[in-house]
């Protein structure tokens, strides 16, 4: 399993744990682009890379230089959503006229 890390506005580390259901319908990259705040860089890491002891989780740090997998989108929807500005209908999709 993988998680999505990004540096939050307080300087700490936020961890997104996508649900199994979300991962059956979308890639972890799509989830990251949708759920990471706009303009924030993120990194997808193995759950094994995240400390299991959460006692000091407010003190976790991440170097923004290592957040190289993408950047949060300005849209809080998946690109597969017809309301997304970059949505492109597939050839087989029937669109209302």
């Amino acid at each position: 399993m993988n998680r999505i890390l990004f540096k939050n506005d307080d300087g700490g580390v936020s961890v997104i744990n996508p649900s199994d259901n979300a991962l059956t319908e979308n890639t972890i990259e799509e989830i990251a682009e949708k759920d990471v705040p706009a303009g924030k860089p993120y990194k997808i890491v193995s759950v094994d890379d995240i400390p299991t002891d959460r006692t000091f989780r407010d003190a976790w740090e991440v170097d923004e230089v290592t957040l190289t997998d993408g950047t949060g989108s300005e849209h809080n929807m998946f690109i597969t959503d017809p309301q997304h500005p970059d949505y492109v209908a597939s050839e087989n999709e029937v669109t209302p006229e």
Side-chain angles (χ1 to χ4, degrees), residues 8 12-13 24 27-28 33-34 39 45 51 53-57 60-61 71 80 84-85 90 94:
N8 62 42
V13 179
T24 62
T27 66
I28 195 164
E33 288 177 17
K34 177 182 123 3
V45 300
D53 182 356
R54 298 178 61 179
T55 305
F56 299 106
R57 69 178 174 210
W60 292 354
E61 296 178 350
T71 305
T80 54
H84 192 286
S90 67
V94 178

Side-chain angles (χ1 to χ4, degrees), residues 26-41:
N26 302 284
T27 66
I28 195 164
E29 292 83 7
E30 291 169 334
I31 294 168
E33 288 177 17
K34 177 182 123 3
D35 290 346
V36 172
K40 293 215 176 274

